[in-house]
């Protein structure tokens, strides 16, 4: 091999090593960026995408992501309900979540579960509340406090823990697993 050929070979090897180093650095940057992406960001990037939420203590809920609030996610296109609102504290796993996320400039919806519940009270919506104490069908919200919701019943479904004489139940928000608009 000539001296010129050796220099060409060394130059090619050096270029190859530089390319490998750049690729490794790029992969490290991608991993570092991905480590900062939250599930909320991924759900915000999945608006109108079908997902299946596995929620503590209740059956999974499948639907299309409609809104991602500060402390909940809303799913539409459900079987048997118009809308499901699921607080973050009960979500254990998500099937079908794409790897893309919302742009850093897009903002999280500021609506909270309590503000959404107050809207349902104002609109007199009939709800099914899935909670750690059971399923509460035919409920209406009559009041929302800082850490609890007061429900009244329309006489359908089970209402565990409710005073049957009054048809009302105060439920801690931490016990709520999903609220479905019937």
């Amino acid at each position: 091999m000539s001296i010129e050929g050796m220099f060409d070979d060394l130059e090619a090897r050096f270029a190859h090593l530089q390319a490998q180093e750049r690729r490794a650095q790029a992969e490290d940057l991608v991993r570092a960026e991905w480590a900062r992406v939250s599930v909320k960001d991924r759900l915000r990037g999945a608006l109108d995408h079908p997902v299946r939420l596995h929620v503590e203590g209740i059956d999974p809920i499948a639907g299309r992501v409609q809104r991602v609030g500060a402390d909940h996610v809303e799913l539409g296109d459900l079987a048997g309900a118009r809308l499901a609102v699921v607080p973050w504290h009960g979500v254990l796993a998500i099937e079908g979540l794409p790897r893309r996320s919302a742009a850093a400039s897009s903002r999280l919806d500021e609506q909270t579960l309590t503000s959404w519940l107050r809207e349902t009270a104002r609109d007199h919506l009939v709800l099914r509340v899935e909670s750690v104490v059971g399923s509460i069908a035919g409920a209406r919200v009559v009041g929302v406090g800082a850490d609890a919701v007061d429900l009244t019943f329309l006489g359908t479904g089970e209402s565990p823990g409710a005073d049957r004489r009054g048809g009302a139940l105060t439920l801690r928000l931490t016990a709520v697993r999903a609220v479905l608009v019937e």
Side-chain angles (χ1 to χ4, degrees), residues 58 61 73-75 78 81 83-87 113 116-117 120 126-131 139 141 149 151 171 173 176-182:
I58 65 172
I61 300 172
V73 61
E74 296 178 21
L75 299 180
L78 303 155
L83 179 73
V85 175
V86 182
L113 178 62
W116 184 84
L117 287 168
T120 67
V126 178
L127 310 171
R128 185 174 82 235
V129 180
E130 299 292 340
S131 73
V141 175
V149 58
L151 303 171
L171 186 63
L173 292 174
V176 175
R177 293 298 177 253
V179 180
L180 293 96
V181 179
E182 297 185 326

Side-chain angles (χ1 to χ4, degrees), residues 8-22:
D8 287 344
D9 183 53
L10 286 173
E11 203 171 271
R13 287 181 189 213
F14 183 68
H16 177 71
L17 289 173
Q18 282 183 320
Q20 282 182 321
E21 178 66 24
R22 281 192 302 271

Side-chain angles (χ1 to χ4, degrees), residues 82-116:
R82 292 186 308 179
L83 179 73
V85 175
V86 182
W88 285 117
H89 63 257
V91 177
L92 301 176
I94 304 169
E95 285 182 61
L97 187 60
R99 288 189 54 92
R100 68 179 178 264
S101 66
S105 61
S106 71
R107 292 190 31 176
L108 188 66
D109 193 321
E110 298 295 323
Q111 185 185 46
T112 62
L113 178 62
T114 54
S115 63
W116 184 84

Side-chain angles (χ1 to χ4, degrees), residues 113-114 116-122 124-145 147-182:
L113 178 62
T114 54
W116 184 84
L117 287 168
R118 286 184 185 101
E119 287 178 17
T120 67
R122 180 196 65 217
H124 306 288
L125 296 178
V126 178
L127 310 171
R128 185 174 82 235
V129 180
E130 299 292 340
S131 73
V132 295
V133 296
S135 182
I136 306 161
R140 282 205 174 122
V141 175
V142 292
V144 182
D147 62 351
V149 58
D150 288 339
L151 303 171
T152 188
F153 308 104
L154 304 176
T156 62
E158 285 299 308
S159 52
D163 176 6
R164 301 286 182 186
R165 295 167 298 183
L169 175 70
T170 298
L171 186 63
R172 297 275 320 265
L173 292 174
T174 55
V176 175
R177 293 298 177 253
V179 180
L180 293 96
V181 179
E182 297 185 326

Side-chain angles (χ1 to χ4, degrees), residues 22-41:
R22 281 192 302 271
R23 189 171 28 258
Q25 287 174 347
E27 289 171 357
D28 286 344
L29 287 172
V30 167
R31 280 191 292 273
E33 282 298 314
W34 187 248
R36 290 187 254 193
V37 176
S38 72
V39 171
K40 286 181 185 180
D41 292 335

